[in-house]
Amino acid sequence: MQKFFYIEGGYLLLAVVILSVTLFVTTRPFMGKNAMKKGMAGVGTVLAFFIGMHYYITTKRMNEVKAAFSEGKSVVCENRIIRKGAQFVTIRKTNGWELKGDNFVSPAYSRPFFTARCIVE
């Protein structure tokens, strides 16, 4: 559950804002009698579906990256430290990289790389 909140935290906050706007709009006097129930249910269902699909796709890709790394394949990760030069880092077991939990770590880099921001090369 902690992984869910870590991956989807920003989207959950955005969903709360969207639901707040929906609540505000559907409670105005010019809206119909059941507008709040229908609006909150509809928007809430759509948001829950999209957040759930994003989580499913992200965790599936994370598992594929972990499996590929364990097999010795190259993994490409986004480098958020250096935006001007090398925007991606190629990660291989043979280069001293290790997988600790959901992060790739190396003594050559000061920060870990999260597997959700990586793809199999």
Side-chain angles (χ1 to χ4, degrees):
M1 196 60 155
Q2 181 183 2
K3 186 193 299 187
F4 175 78
F5 287 117
Y6 185 74
I7 293 172
E8 302 300 325
Y11 296 115
L12 290 173
L13 289 175
L14 186 59
V16 168
V17 170
I18 292 170
L19 285 172
S20 298
V21 170
T22 303
L23 180 65
F24 178 77
V25 171
T26 57
T27 56
R28 299 298 94 200
F30 58 83
M31 295 300 287
K33 190 173 188 177
N34 292 325
M36 186 185 79
K37 290 179 186 176
K38 290 178 182 178
M40 293 296 283
V43 172
T45 302
V46 168
L47 289 172
F49 173 75
F50 283 125
I51 290 172
M53 286 304 298
H54 182 265
Y55 179 73
Y56 171 75
I57 292 168
T58 301
T59 53
K60 182 179 174 191
R61 186 179 67 247
M62 288 171 65
N63 292 333
E64 290 171 359
V65 166
K66 288 178 188 179
F69 180 76
S70 298
E71 294 170 5
K73 295 180 182 176
S74 296
V75 174
V76 178
C77 291
E78 178 184 20
N79 188 357
R80 290 185 165 185
I81 293 176
I82 304 170
R83 288 288 192 173
K84 304 250 189 252
Q87 294 181 348
F88 300 99
V89 175
T90 302
I91 295 174
R92 294 183 193 100
K93 270 187 177 182
T94 57
N95 293 345
W97 287 92
E98 295 178 9
L99 183 61
K100 292 187 179 178
D102 290 329
N103 294 309
F104 291 113
V105 294
S106 171
Y109 284 86
S110 60
R111 64 181 270 299
F113 290 88
F114 190 48
T115 55
R117 306 290 175 246
C118 303
I119 58 171
V120 178
E121 188 172 45

